[in-house]
Amino acid sequence: MTVTLDLEASSSDAPTRRTLANLSLAVAKCKKIVVVTGAGISCSCGIPDFRSSDGLYALVKQQYPDVVMKGRDLFDASLFRDPTSTAVFYTFISQLKKSIDVATPSPTHRFIKTLDSKKKLLRSYTQNIDGLEERAGLVGTSSQEAKYNGKGKAKLKAKDVRNVQLHGDIHRVRCTFCSADFPCTEEHLDKFLAGTPPDCPDCAARSSARVARSARALKVGTLRPAIVLYDEPHPLGDDIGSIHSADIARKPDMLIIMGTSLKVHGFKKLVKDFARAVHESAPSPASSVVTPVKKNAKSFAGKVIFVNKTAPGSEWEGIIDFHVVGETDRWVEKVIEDWKKARPSDWEVQKTLVATGQPSTTGTFHVAKEITNTVGLKAKGAGKRKTGRKQENAPAFEDDVFDITLPLPSPPPSPGKRSHSRCHYNDVETSPSKKSREVAAREAVDFKEKGLLFGNATNAKLRKGASQNDDFGLDLGENMGKSQAASKKSGKSRIPKAQVEVLLDSRPLSRKRTIA
């Protein structure tokens, strides 16, 4: 069942306000969000949508009533069959392109970029051809940064693509014959405005080269806007399909649909696939049994949110969980406001300082990089640095330079070069190795004078030059003098004898019983 939330009524309705706040917190906590957008997010930029009363379809029908029956016919691939409709198409697109060039990204475009900078955006998919997402900082499929230059089956770098342009880009033109694409320039717009398409420069160069060799000239294609019309295949369809399948396999935890009426068949299938994947990754009810606040925030994960002025059709019952009625810019501003209140640590700005002076002297520091997302960053793959990247420590602006004059610490000395004053022993206490050397200088104990019964003569003999082979050095005290005198006369070391006295206790014999 789809829950409808009205932004206008949130100021007076407490349950609606609470539910919207929980949705904002769920957006802040999710980590793999898929955003799907339509022309409605660019209306605040001065670009009309398609199906509203003042949209592009109504505008086309008003300007060219004798050429098209419906406004949708001007965006159908069949228009190239008629020269008149083709000329009208080129004229209309040139006017639309000039109005898009003066537009700036809306708060919704910047919100999508914020999700990407906070490491919460899995991917963005858009029906728009205005390219405002790329102007906000998201690399699109039409960008040269995301395309392979060499020969190969794949044309896009899937890891670099942050925004998938499902209907192409009006800022580029492509050849109808060789499919080469180029940036749309003022020269192209002037010819489009006159209703005549320009020739492809690549085709013209190849044909001129053959004519110079006295060969037959080749066909020269014409340039057209690089947008995808109805009933027309996408030039990057295989790569976009691979990106779509890979994103579903990564199990997104939230789907946000904004500014679209969900009428295009292929686009509806894409949304339903993502909604199914999001519902499958939703947490089980048994896992959210903590405090009520955490339970509410966690229960909103794995949901599909639809933000649009008009309600979705009946076919979306059970697929869309929440319908937020209102403008997309107002909703994203509320999400950012609630996010900053609930999790202010996500918005802390950390500046990286880099020393620019010599290690032996004082140096200055300048800001090399600003990090806006300091919470939840993992050190995965930190040791695998890519080579050949651009230098991160770019020259900072004058306002960001900090003149901090601090003495740099000298490195600690090695253990072998430490001064004696750092020893932890004082004059009275000594180290164990020094104690062992002092034991040898002590006087030997005269066992004979002490009258000891048993004494350890081994250490005494070793101190007086005895051989190390005397394994048994135990002797009685009274024989000490005799053994020393005998060893001096013979000149050889002699093993002394030991006298051992054994005492046995007398015990009475046990009586034996005699058996008669």
Side-chain angles (χ1 to χ4, degrees), residues 16 30 49 65 152 175 197 228 236 248 257 287 297 301 305 321 331 343 355 361 383 412 417 479 507:
T16 301
C30 289
D49 60 359
C175 179
V228 181
L236 303 174
I248 290 179
I257 311 166
S287 62
I305 305 173
D321 299 307
W331 180 73
R343 298 167 68 98
T361 61
K417 297 181 180 181
N479 296 327
R507 299 179 180 177

Side-chain angles (χ1 to χ4, degrees), residues 463-498:
R463 286 192 297 268
K464 292 183 180 181
S467 175
Q468 295 288 341
N469 297 328
D470 296 341
D471 296 331
F472 188 77
L474 187 64
D475 195 4
L476 299 178
E478 60 183 2
N479 296 327
M480 180 69 71
K482 297 179 181 180
S483 61
Q484 291 178 357
S487 62
K488 289 180 181 180
K489 292 180 180 180
S490 61
K492 296 180 179 180
S493 61
R494 186 177 179 183
I495 300 175
K497 296 181 179 180

Side-chain angles (χ1 to χ4, degrees), residues 187-394:
E187 181 182 356
H188 297 149
L189 290 180
D190 293 340
K191 292 189 176 182
F192 283 148
L193 188 61
T196 58
D199 293 336
C200 174
D202 286 2
C203 293
R206 284 192 296 267
S207 180
S208 300
R210 285 181 59 87
V211 172
R213 299 195 306 266
S214 300
R216 180 176 56 87
L218 296 177
K219 179 182 177 181
V220 177
T222 57
L223 298 179
R224 52 158 287 187
I227 62 176
V228 181
L229 303 177
Y230 291 108
D231 299 327
E232 185 180 31
H234 200 295
L236 303 174
D238 294 338
D239 295 87
I240 292 177
S242 301
I243 293 174
H244 174 218
S245 302
D247 289 344
I248 290 179
R250 294 175 64 182
K251 298 179 180 180
D253 51 10
M254 179 174 283
L255 175 62
I256 302 176
I257 311 166
M258 295 185 291
T260 176
S261 58
L262 300 174
K263 298 292 184 181
V264 182
H265 175 70
F267 187 72
K268 289 194 297 184
K269 184 180 181 301
L270 179 138
V271 172
K272 289 179 180 179
D273 292 342
F274 276 123
R276 189 183 307 111
V278 167
H279 288 155
E280 290 176 356
S281 65
S284 58
S287 62
S288 56
V289 287
V290 205
T291 61
V293 177
K294 291 185 178 180
K295 180 179 178 181
N296 289 337
K298 196 170 185 179
S299 64
F300 283 94
K303 300 298 182 181
V304 179
I305 305 173
F306 179 66
V307 186
N308 200 38
K309 291 181 179 180
T310 59
S314 59
E315 64 174 315
W316 298 98
E317 190 69 27
I319 299 176
I320 295 176
D321 299 307
F322 296 95
H323 172 215
V324 181
V325 182
E327 297 179 355
T328 59
D329 291 345
R330 184 178 175 186
W331 180 73
V332 298
E333 289 173 353
K334 177 173 175 50
V335 170
I336 296 296
E337 181 182 356
D338 296 340
W339 188 350
K340 290 182 178 180
K341 290 180 181 178
R343 298 167 68 98
S345 58
D346 291 356
W347 300 89
E348 293 179 355
V349 178
Q350 176 182 346
K351 293 184 177 181
T352 303
L353 301 181
V354 177
T356 59
Q358 297 294 330
S360 58
T361 61
T362 59
T364 60
F365 293 82
H366 71 85
V367 178
K369 185 177 173 184
E370 288 192 1
I371 304 174
T372 58
N373 186 20
T374 58
V375 178
L377 292 180
K378 295 184 179 179
K380 183 179 179 181
K384 302 178 181 178
R385 295 184 177 179
K386 297 181 180 180
T387 58
R389 294 187 301 177
K390 295 182 180 180
Q391 187 178 2
E392 290 186 357
N393 299 335

Side-chain angles (χ1 to χ4, degrees), residues 91-104:
T91 303
F92 178 77
I93 289 297
S94 64
Q95 295 174 355
L96 181 61
K97 170 71 167 57
K98 291 182 178 180
S99 64
I100 290 175
D101 289 340
V102 298
T104 56

Side-chain angles (χ1 to χ4, degrees), residues 438-468:
E438 291 181 356
V439 171
R442 296 177 182 174
E443 283 189 17
V445 179
D446 191 356
F447 295 98
K448 185 174 182 180
E449 294 179 359
K450 296 294 182 179
L452 299 177
L453 181 62
F454 291 96
N456 186 3
T458 304
N459 294 336
K461 285 187 176 184
L462 290 176
R463 286 192 297 268
K464 292 183 180 181
S467 175
Q468 295 288 341

Side-chain angles (χ1 to χ4, degrees), residues 3-69:
V3 179
T4 304
L5 304 172
D6 193 356
L7 283 175
E8 297 292 339
S10 61
S11 58
S12 58
D13 190 9
T16 301
R17 183 169 59 253
R18 191 181 307 113
T19 305
L20 289 173
N22 287 330
L23 279 179
S24 303
L25 187 57
V27 171
K29 288 191 174 183
C30 289
K31 298 180 180 179
K32 290 181 287 186
I33 302 175
V34 175
V35 179
V36 177
T37 58
I41 68 171
S42 301
C43 290
S44 61
C45 306
I47 303 173
D49 60 359
F50 285 87
R51 289 179 172 82
S52 62
S53 59
D54 55 348
L56 288 177
Y57 290 164
L59 183 61
V60 169
K61 180 63 178 175
Q62 182 181 358
Q63 290 183 0
Y64 311 101
D66 300 331
V67 178
V68 294
M69 298 295 295

